[in-house]
Amino acid sequence: MKIGIVCYPTFGGSGVVATELGKALAQKGHQVHFITYSPPVRLDFLSGNLFYHEVSVSDYPLFDYPPYELVLSSKLVDVVKYEKLDILHVHYAIPHASAAYMAKQILASQGINIPFITTLHGTDITLVGKDPSFEPVITFAINQSDAVTAVSESLKQDTYINFPNVKKEIKVIPNFICLDEYNMEAGVCQKKMYAPKGERLLIHVSNFRKVKRVEDVVRIFEKVHKEIPSKLILVGDGPERGNIEKLCRELHICDDVRSLGKIVNPEQILRISDLFLLPSETESFGLAALEAMASKVPVISSNSGGLSEVNVNGFSGYLSNVGDVEEMAINAISILKDDATLNQFKANAYQQANKFDITKILPMYENLYKSLIG
Ligand code: GMT
């Protein structure tokens, strides 16, 4: 099949999922065309089956807000027509679903039929999508999609609640990881670089937006640190980073917290870590938690959104109510207190991650494509 993928090319989970999906499809022999405004950060290998088409928005003084969605629609028309694509798969509803709808209509007027799938990822529905000014367009674009998928059952339900006029059937296809990529042996990253005295290594990976509650990460760590020799690694960057550095200073834990900024492939650092913290306000799935579990790292998370579909309480980690820093710290300590318990949780985390291996999820997308192409 010839598949066009539209996504945000950044470090966000939706872009990561879209890119990994495209890479896996290309490896299976499909031709995959990424249509984005810059090369996706995870597009880290070359293949004869992978193509990249840049959506470049020209700057014109009249435009205070350059019309990205229109440029994307035009680019989609162009790529579908000249590359003879069979299907378009857009990740994140805003504005990709409406851009795909527009392209589909233009192509239909020229006698070309192109089905498009919209995959809902989370904040397009739970945060951004709830802004009433987006509602009519998102509802329309979802209803007009040839198929709609959501990355968790929780997100599917949230969509029907937040968008009561959405009538389209939403199919749940969970996010995935490629377990093989997490089974590397030695790497350049050594645990003693960050935990020189054999301390436990706690880790958080996110885009440091308010929704991630990184402050809770630091407060949980402070409590754990009082009981167990430990260090905290922060991976990623975003608006909350400054506040977090301030909080670390106030709590006098700067020497035990290390910020690494954005990392393209976090597996190297995950595989030397002991515990992943994800206390988010809301999380449609929690891909970062799954990546941690694939690296044999148990997860302390909130129980919001789709996290309970990924992290199993008392098995791969623990889940608590949003903001219950006290309970999260107690649970973290109970996992880290001795090697036997920690090793059991590590093994469980890996076992749970196995359920989301790409070999199980990829056929779901392939079958969906086939059913629409006919
Ligand atoms: O978490 C973010 O803010 C990034 C966001 C995105 O769209 O890139 O992530 C969402 O999609 C991921 C991939 O499907 C999910 O794993 C995340 O849970 C979801 N984030 C939220 O719902 C907050």
Side-chain angles (χ1 to χ4, degrees):
M1 285 179 273
K2 289 185 172 186
I3 304 151
I5 293 186
V6 179
C7 65
Y8 283 104
T10 53
F11 282 88
S14 61
V16 169
V17 169
T19 311
E20 296 294 342
L21 175 62
K23 283 157 61 177
L25 288 164
Q27 266 170 341
K28 273 195 94 175
H30 302 292
Q31 204 181 84
V32 177
H33 294 255
F34 284 98
I35 305 145
T36 56
Y37 59 78
S38 63
V41 287
R42 286 266 186 116
L43 198 57
D44 52 4
F45 79 92
L46 297 174
S47 152
N49 286 335
L50 282 176
F51 297 80
Y52 166 63
H53 306 269
E54 183 161 306
V55 183
S56 46
V57 186
S58 49
D59 205 8
Y60 183 65
L62 178 68
F63 299 141
D64 280 341
Y65 303 100
Y68 175 71
E69 190 177 337
L70 295 188
V71 183
L72 175 60
S73 296
S74 296
K75 192 76 188 176
L76 292 178
V77 170
D78 187 76
V79 177
V80 169
K81 214 155 116 181
Y82 294 105
E83 300 291 347
K84 301 196 171 16
L85 299 191
D86 297 309
I87 193 153
L88 281 175
H89 187 175
V90 305
H91 292 258
Y92 207 90
I94 306 166
H96 301 152
S98 40
Y101 170 76
M102 170 79 102
K104 185 182 165 94
Q105 295 312 309
I106 296 169
L107 287 158
S109 74
Q110 299 172 17
I112 299 168
N113 175 38
I114 182 84
F116 79 95
I117 298 174
T118 300
T119 289
L120 307 172
H121 277 275
T123 41
D124 44 354
I125 295 302
T126 55
L127 291 180
V128 190
K130 260 200 271 186
D131 179 339
S133 61
F134 285 115
E135 190 278 326
V137 181
I138 298 180
T139 298
F140 181 79
I142 290 176
N143 284 336
Q144 294 297 323
S145 302
D146 293 280
V148 180
T149 73
V151 298
S152 65
E153 189 57 42
S154 153
L155 182 61
K156 173 179 169 173
Q157 297 314 328
D158 280 344
T159 308
Y160 289 129
I161 292 166
N162 292 335
F163 297 88
N165 293 321
V166 164
K167 303 293 174 219
K168 191 85 190 164
E169 188 202 331
I170 299 174
K171 187 177 169 61
V172 175
I173 300 187
N175 286 334
F176 56 85
I177 28 84
C178 179
L179 264 192
D180 280 350
E181 286 175 12
Y182 291 82
N183 283 328
M184 321 167 280
E185 273 315 313
V188 286
C189 192
Q190 306 275 317
K191 189 164 187 176
K192 60 177 182 297
M193 284 160 60
Y194 301 106
K197 295 184 184 149
E199 295 94 337
R200 299 292 197 209
L201 214 48
L202 286 78
I203 185 165
H204 171 76
V205 182
S206 80
N207 52 23
F208 283 62
R209 299 221 173 94
K210 271 246 176 289
V211 68
K212 301 293 174 180
R213 297 184 69 100
V214 190
E215 229 188 77
D216 287 3
V217 169
V218 173
R219 294 193 186 282
I220 295 165
F221 172 70
E222 192 226 2
K223 290 179 190 299
V224 172
H225 184 59
K226 281 184 179 151
E227 303 286 323
I228 291 179
S230 47
K231 300 277 184 186
L232 174 65
I233 301 272
L234 298 173
V235 176
D237 204 354
E240 284 298 291
R241 176 101 175 253
N243 289 340
I244 294 310
E245 280 169 12
K246 205 163 139 243
L247 180 63
C248 289
R249 276 181 222 128
E250 278 165 25
L251 297 174
H252 306 289
I253 51 172
C254 292
D255 289 347
D256 299 298
V257 180
R258 192 75 178 260
S259 292
L260 300 184
K262 290 178 180 172
I263 294 181
V264 176
N265 290 310
E267 303 94 7
Q268 290 272 334
I269 185 79
L270 282 170
R271 58 194 286 275
I272 59 163
S273 303
D274 296 305
L275 191 65
F276 190 85
L277 303 178
L278 193 64
S280 309
E281 185 80 37
T282 167
E283 203 70 68
S284 68
F285 183 88
L287 182 67
L290 179 58
E291 291 187 327
M293 285 155 54
S295 308
K296 304 190 175 77
V297 181
V299 174
I300 294 290
S301 71
S302 66
N303 53 15
S304 68
L307 279 168
S308 59
E309 296 170 50
V310 180
N311 187 18
V312 180
N313 197 40
F315 183 73
S316 54
Y318 287 102
L319 299 96
S320 303
N321 292 332
V322 173
D324 195 342
V325 168
E326 199 63 46
E327 187 181 281
M328 292 185 198
I330 290 169
N331 288 337
I333 292 165
S334 79
I335 293 177
L336 296 171
K337 66 179 190 305
D338 61 74
D339 286 349
T341 310
L342 177 58
N343 289 335
Q344 186 58 59
F345 271 91
K346 278 176 176 269
N348 296 350
Y350 186 72
Q351 191 183 321
Q352 173 65 4
N354 194 25
K355 292 186 185 157
F356 300 91
D357 186 38
I358 188 149
T359 51
K360 301 181 175 86
I361 310 299
L362 191 65
M364 297 186 193
Y365 280 117
E366 283 181 298
N367 290 337
L368 184 61
Y369 297 159
K370 278 183 211 149
S371 73
L372 295 175
I373 292 170

